[in-house]
PDB file of all heavy atoms in Angstrom:
ATOM      1  N   GLU A 377     205.100-181.562  41.652  1.00  0.00           N
ATOM      2  CA  GLU A 377     206.563-181.631  41.679  1.00  0.00           C
ATOM      3  C   GLU A 377     207.225-180.266  41.597  1.00  0.00           C
ATOM      4  O   GLU A 377     208.416-180.145  41.869  1.00  0.00           O
ATOM      5  CB  GLU A 377     207.057-182.492  40.498  1.00  0.00           C
ATOM      6  CG  GLU A 377     206.786-183.970  40.665  1.00  0.00           C
ATOM      7  CD  GLU A 377     206.978-184.727  39.357  1.00  0.00           C
ATOM      8  OE1 GLU A 377     207.501-184.129  38.385  1.00  0.00           O
ATOM      9  OE2 GLU A 377     206.578-185.901  39.312  1.00  0.00           O
ATOM     10  N   HIS A 378     206.477-179.263  41.162  1.00  0.00           N
ATOM     11  CA  HIS A 378     207.098-177.949  40.920  1.00  0.00           C
ATOM     12  C   HIS A 378     206.284-176.858  41.598  1.00  0.00           C
ATOM     13  O   HIS A 378     205.099-177.036  41.887  1.00  0.00           O
ATOM     14  CB  HIS A 378     207.194-177.673  39.417  1.00  0.00           C
ATOM     15  CG  HIS A 378     208.037-178.672  38.702  1.00  0.00           C
ATOM     16  ND1 HIS A 378     209.408-178.595  38.660  1.00  0.00           N
ATOM     17  CD2 HIS A 378     207.692-179.806  38.048  1.00  0.00           C
ATOM     18  CE1 HIS A 378     209.883-179.639  37.997  1.00  0.00           C
ATOM     19  NE2 HIS A 378     208.862-180.387  37.612  1.00  0.00           N
ATOM     20  N   ASP A 379     206.940-175.728  41.792  1.00  0.00           N
ATOM     21  CA  ASP A 379     206.278-174.572  42.377  1.00  0.00           C
ATOM     22  C   ASP A 379     205.136-174.130  41.446  1.00  0.00           C
ATOM     23  O   ASP A 379     205.392-173.742  40.306  1.00  0.00           O
ATOM     24  CB  ASP A 379     207.311-173.450  42.531  1.00  0.00           C
ATOM     25  CG  ASP A 379     206.721-172.197  43.159  1.00  0.00           C
ATOM     26  OD1 ASP A 379     205.487-172.078  43.219  1.00  0.00           O
ATOM     27  OD2 ASP A 379     207.520-171.334  43.559  1.00  0.00           O
ATOM     28  N   PRO A 380     203.885-174.216  41.916  1.00  0.00           N
ATOM     29  CA  PRO A 380     202.757-173.864  41.034  1.00  0.00           C
ATOM     30  C   PRO A 380     202.862-172.432  40.494  1.00  0.00           C
ATOM     31  O   PRO A 380     202.389-172.152  39.393  1.00  0.00           O
ATOM     32  CB  PRO A 380     201.538-173.999  41.942  1.00  0.00           C
ATOM     33  CG  PRO A 380     201.962-174.861  43.067  1.00  0.00           C
ATOM     34  CD  PRO A 380     203.440-174.657  43.250  1.00  0.00           C
ATOM     35  N   GLU A 381     203.494-171.544  41.242  1.00  0.00           N
ATOM     36  CA  GLU A 381     203.621-170.166  40.760  1.00  0.00           C
ATOM     37  C   GLU A 381     204.511-170.126  39.512  1.00  0.00           C
ATOM     38  O   GLU A 381     204.225-169.415  38.551  1.00  0.00           O
ATOM     39  CB  GLU A 381     204.197-169.267  41.856  1.00  0.00           C
ATOM     40  CG  GLU A 381     203.264-169.165  43.048  1.00  0.00           C
ATOM     41  CD  GLU A 381     203.623-168.041  43.999  1.00  0.00           C
ATOM     42  OE1 GLU A 381     204.661-167.374  43.787  1.00  0.00           O
ATOM     43  OE2 GLU A 381     202.849-167.827  44.953  1.00  0.00           O
ATOM     44  N   LEU A 382     205.591-170.911  39.545  1.00  0.00           N
ATOM     45  CA  LEU A 382     206.488-170.935  38.378  1.00  0.00           C
ATOM     46  C   LEU A 382     205.825-171.643  37.201  1.00  0.00           C
ATOM     47  O   LEU A 382     206.012-171.252  36.051  1.00  0.00           O
ATOM     48  CB  LEU A 382     207.815-171.588  38.750  1.00  0.00           C
ATOM     49  CG  LEU A 382     208.677-170.775  39.721  1.00  0.00           C
ATOM     50  CD1 LEU A 382     209.869-171.587  40.199  1.00  0.00           C
ATOM     51  CD2 LEU A 382     209.156-169.478  39.066  1.00  0.00           C
ATOM     52  N   VAL A 383     205.039-172.682  37.489  1.00  0.00           N
ATOM     53  CA  VAL A 383     204.318-173.371  36.410  1.00  0.00           C
ATOM     54  C   VAL A 383     203.327-172.403  35.760  1.00  0.00           C
ATOM     55  O   VAL A 383     203.258-172.289  34.528  1.00  0.00           O
ATOM     56  CB  VAL A 383     203.584-174.625  36.941  1.00  0.00           C
ATOM     57  CG1 VAL A 383     202.722-175.249  35.852  1.00  0.00           C
ATOM     58  CG2 VAL A 383     204.594-175.647  37.472  1.00  0.00           C
ATOM     59  N   ARG A 384     202.578-171.676  36.571  1.00  0.00           N
ATOM     60  CA  ARG A 384     201.594-170.728  36.034  1.00  0.00           C
ATOM     61  C   ARG A 384     202.294-169.643  35.212  1.00  0.00           C
ATOM     62  O   ARG A 384     201.828-169.277  34.125  1.00  0.00           O
ATOM     63  CB  ARG A 384     200.787-170.082  37.174  1.00  0.00           C
ATOM     64  CG  ARG A 384     199.741-170.998  37.801  1.00  0.00           C
ATOM     65  CD  ARG A 384     199.079-170.349  39.026  1.00  0.00           C
ATOM     66  NE  ARG A 384     198.314-169.170  38.675  1.00  0.00           N
ATOM     67  CZ  ARG A 384     196.978-169.067  38.731  1.00  0.00           C
ATOM     68  NH1 ARG A 384     196.254-170.096  39.143  1.00  0.00           N
ATOM     69  NH2 ARG A 384     196.366-167.956  38.385  1.00  0.00           N
ATOM     70  N   LEU A 385     203.404-169.139  35.740  1.00  0.00           N
ATOM     71  CA  LEU A 385     204.107-168.071  35.016  1.00  0.00           C
ATOM     72  C   LEU A 385     204.706-168.590  33.712  1.00  0.00           C
ATOM     73  O   LEU A 385     204.626-167.926  32.675  1.00  0.00           O
ATOM     74  CB  LEU A 385     205.213-167.481  35.906  1.00  0.00           C
ATOM     75  CG  LEU A 385     204.719-166.584  37.045  1.00  0.00           C
ATOM     76  CD1 LEU A 385     205.816-166.379  38.080  1.00  0.00           C
ATOM     77  CD2 LEU A 385     204.244-165.229  36.499  1.00  0.00           C
TER      78      LEU A 385
END
Side-chain angles (χ1 to χ4, degrees):
E377 288 166 10
H378 299 278
D379 181 345
E381 296 194 355
L382 291 171
V383 174
R384 285 174 65 112
L385 286 164

